[in-house]
Amino acid sequence: MQRSGTTASPTQRLASYRHKRDFGRTPEPAGSTAAAGAAPVRRFVVQRHRARRLHYDFRLEIDGVLVSWAVPKGPTLDAGVRRAAFHVEDHPLEYVDFEGVIPAGEYGGGDVIVWDAGTWTPHAHRVRDTTDPAAAVAAGELHLDLYGEKLRGRFVLVRTRAGRSGKEDWLLLHKHDEYAVPGWDAEDHPQSVLTGRTNDQVKADPDRLWRSGVPASRASVSLKPAPVAPADAGDLAALDALPAGGSWAVFGRELRVTNLDKVLFPARPGEEPVTKRDLLRYTARIAPVALPYLAGRAINLHRYPDGAGSKGFWHKELPEHAPRWLPRWDNPDADPGETRTYLVVDEPAALIWAANFGGLEWHAWTSTTGAPHLPTYALIDLDPGSATSWDDLLTLARLHRTAFEHLGVTARPKVTGRRGIQIWVPIAPGPSFDETRAWVERLSRTVGAVVPELVSWKWQKSDRGGLARLDYTQNAVNKTLVAPYSPRPAAGAPVSAPITWAELDDPGLRPDGFTIRTVLPRLDTHGDLFDAVLDHPQRLPRLD
């Protein structure tokens, strides 16, 4: 194992770290040479890490990497106590503020909080000693001063012997100084210094994942995008004042909008048709609400440039003429001829651009670009057949409701805006698409067995005899379901709208009953009924 104090480059020194991790699955950062420049102030971090066993990761910034020790019982301010520490592989600098969940099954899988953080300086305790920390580590004795929120004062790391499996055994101790506190125990101070949360809270509701193999500035993947302010009333008025097209400034971006008076959705009886101007106005108003369901994910657009009355087509590849400011993602797993560069709606103006481009439907991947093989939702698609009545579909949805209540699982339904109902189940990072799909299939087959006269499991629609399909196959990479609040290409511009479980018993509920004209007042009254899928990541229970 490459150790600190050698002449190896940061890239070489991270070889052991990378070897133990599958960056196709884990959200941890891989590290890069770009992160290896020496910082003017040395940082340290202590992460409380619940993997196979609870331990504290004590990390010091030295020569472009985080030199690391695992401390099972955690550091202490008690000068009379010595803590066992085990020198482990160097970690990349990007890891210095990582707080989240490492997927189960990966090296170090578990939950991590930033238990303490700050800066540090090496200390030469004898005249002949070096103040070069890498040399001190190589020599087996490092004296240092910590300036953290919990840990302060003089500490010493001393190597005792080479341990089993090539790991070095060290001791970590605090000197007798003004910061020493008898009886001080790390477990009495379990909160993160970044968020104030405990490991349990981070595990139940992680905020971040990490992308590997990219520059540090783009390594962090937020699971909860920062709230976006509503569209400015002046910007909306400017859209209304434009002629058939022109330049429109909205959400800080300058967009070239065209054909604003073109009818995109035919009228419903007693209503006016929906124009492109109407669609863009709706998109600007709904974008702050829809963004958390789209941000950090590849988008598959269903385009209808000639309106909902024409035949649409799927458009996945971001066109070369797209504005340079548009967020995007290059899929490293794309085969020749497959879509390589996807739109990522990381800001509201990107969604408005998509609508102006003819994207009447918005379909986001169920995994993030940072971990494309790890789903964040389990999806249940109640797909009616030609002989399926709305009452039949409601029966299937209510049976799923009962199943989730029995299992204690958080899930949220939405009407599709066409004929169906979809249910999204938020899941914590970890299970693969294969595992998620198998779970959904087992659940839906159990539900379907209660009413076999309503359900077919045949793959081809023509073989189903008009019966409904409980489609679990959407749980796969690059498979999507229409996003919450997305319009659908039909008369009146219906919307895929979240509903409450209780609304399944409302005789007035219809799958296409909410439109771009009615869903906004509903939001004002009821709020976002789907936000539980953002705030309740959970482990799927075993189905016996």
Side-chain angles (χ1 to χ4, degrees):
M1 178 181 294
Q2 202 76 51
R3 288 297 186 193
S4 304
T6 73
T7 58
S9 70
T11 299
Q12 293 170 321
R13 289 164 61 183
L14 292 175
S16 177
Y17 168 87
R18 292 194 180 101
H19 178 71
K20 294 181 179 180
R21 290 157 174 81
D22 177 2
F23 289 109
R25 288 196 60 187
T26 179
E28 297 175 273
S32 64
T33 55
V41 176
R42 293 184 176 94
R43 294 168 292 175
F44 85 90
V45 63
V46 180
Q47 287 154 316
R48 189 177 188 272
H49 185 178
R50 297 194 303 186
R52 285 183 298 174
R53 297 180 181 87
L54 168 65
H55 64 279
Y56 289 73
D57 292 315
F58 185 88
R59 310 189 194 278
L60 303 175
E61 181 179 1
I62 301 176
D63 294 347
V65 296
L66 294 174
V67 181
S68 301
W69 289 261
V71 184
K73 293 186 177 181
T76 179
L77 297 178
D78 190 335
V81 174
R82 298 183 176 188
R83 293 297 197 210
F86 303 94
H87 194 187
V88 298
E89 70 275 7
D90 297 337
H91 277 54
L93 289 183
E94 296 97 318
Y95 213 89
V96 74
D97 64 351
F98 176 68
E99 181 166 294
V101 174
I102 303 170
E106 294 298 324
Y107 180 80
D111 45 85
V112 179
I113 65 168
V114 176
W115 179 83
D116 196 19
T119 61
W120 72 281
T121 57
H123 173 73
H125 69 293
R126 292 183 297 242
V127 174
R128 67 179 182 274
D129 286 342
T130 178
T131 57
D132 177 358
V137 172
E141 185 171 346
L142 174 64
H143 292 241
L144 64 153
D145 292 320
L146 293 184
Y147 308 95
E149 295 192 31
K150 296 177 181 177
L151 302 178
R152 298 186 71 84
R154 181 72 44 81
F155 286 79
V156 181
L157 278 159
V158 181
R159 184 169 58 225
T160 57
R161 62 185 175 88
R164 294 186 297 273
S165 303
K167 287 186 171 64
E168 298 173 352
D169 291 359
W170 290 60
L171 290 176
L172 173 65
L173 56 95
H174 194 287
K175 299 290 284 185
H176 290 276
D177 60 20
E178 67 269 33
Y179 297 105
V181 180
W184 199 94
D185 191 325
E187 285 296 284
D188 295 333
H189 310 271
Q191 286 82 17
S192 161
V193 296
L194 287 186
T195 63
R197 300 194 297 170
T198 64
N199 281 76
D200 283 338
Q201 290 170 321
V202 168
K203 178 181 178 180
D205 192 10
D207 287 341
R208 292 198 302 159
L209 295 179
W210 283 80
R211 289 185 275 194
S212 60
V214 299
S217 61
R218 294 191 287 115
S220 180
V221 177
S222 175
L223 298 178
K224 297 178 181 177
V228 177
D232 183 84
D235 292 346
L236 297 176
L239 174 67
D240 295 339
L242 281 176
S247 182
W248 180 34
V250 60
F251 289 111
R253 298 292 187 184
E254 198 81 18
L255 298 174
R256 180 71 180 173
V257 293
T258 59
N259 302 316
L260 291 175
D261 296 323
K262 182 177 184 176
V263 172
L264 293 184
F265 302 86
R268 287 184 173 183
E271 298 180 359
E272 294 293 322
V274 175
T275 66
K276 190 175 185 180
R277 192 190 309 267
D278 297 328
L279 174 64
L280 296 186
R281 199 177 207 282
Y282 168 76
T283 305
R285 294 187 63 191
I286 202 64
V289 180
L291 198 66
Y293 306 102
L294 304 172
R297 302 172 189 274
I299 301 295
N300 297 347
L301 291 178
H302 209 178
R303 288 188 63 209
Y304 292 79
D306 294 323
S310 64
K311 185 175 178 59
F313 58 92
W314 287 102
H315 194 129
K316 300 180 183 179
E317 184 80 33
L318 190 67
E320 292 184 2
H321 63 74
R324 294 180 62 85
W325 58 263
L326 278 176
R328 61 198 69 200
W329 173 62
D330 289 329
N331 182 9
D333 297 327
D335 292 326
E338 291 185 335
T339 300
R340 168 69 64 173
T341 303
Y342 289 83
L343 171 68
V344 180
V345 177
D346 278 348
E347 59 173 285
L351 189 61
I352 299 170
W353 176 89
N356 185 62
F357 188 52
L360 302 194
E361 289 186 313
W362 315 322
H363 294 248
W365 284 28
T366 56
S367 57
T368 66
T369 58
H373 296 284
L374 294 177
T376 59
Y377 307 120
L379 303 176
I380 298 167
D381 187 13
L382 309 185
D383 184 15
S386 58
T388 304
S389 69
W390 177 236
D391 284 340
D392 292 339
L393 204 68
L394 288 173
T395 295
L396 292 169
R398 291 172 187 140
L399 287 171
H400 278 87
R401 176 179 65 185
T402 300
F404 288 126
E405 289 173 348
H406 174 72
L407 293 169
V409 168
T410 295
R412 289 295 181 268
K414 66 183 179 70
V415 292
T416 64
R418 302 299 291 269
R419 296 186 60 219
I421 294 173
Q422 295 165 355
I423 302 168
W424 290 24
V425 183
I427 56 176
S432 67
F433 275 106
D434 287 344
E435 293 166 329
T436 303
R437 183 168 58 253
W439 188 89
V440 172
E441 179 182 6
R442 184 160 189 176
L443 175 75
S444 290
R445 285 190 181 274
T446 301
V447 168
V450 178
V451 283
E453 70 278 10
L454 300 182
V455 177
S456 171
W457 300 101
K458 298 291 186 181
W459 178 263
Q460 296 291 338
K461 184 174 289 190
S462 58
D463 296 334
R464 297 178 200 161
L467 299 181
R469 174 173 167 80
L470 307 182
D471 190 359
Y472 55 86
T473 64
Q474 297 296 331
N475 294 277
V477 67
N478 198 0
K479 290 282 190 177
T480 64
L481 294 180
V482 66
Y485 305 107
S486 170
R488 305 306 302 272
V495 170
S496 183
I499 59 173
T500 66
W501 285 114
E503 284 181 291
L504 294 175
D505 303 318
D506 182 351
L509 182 68
R510 292 293 179 271
D512 60 352
F514 305 103
T515 71
I516 67 172
R517 289 181 172 132
T518 63
V519 78
L520 290 168
R522 174 178 167 87
L523 266 169
D524 291 339
T525 302
H526 300 289
D528 180 11
L529 298 175
F530 220 54
D531 62 0
V533 306
L534 302 171
D535 297 335
H536 291 80
Q538 61 203 325
R539 296 194 180 278
L540 298 176
R542 183 183 179 89
L543 299 178
D544 296 321

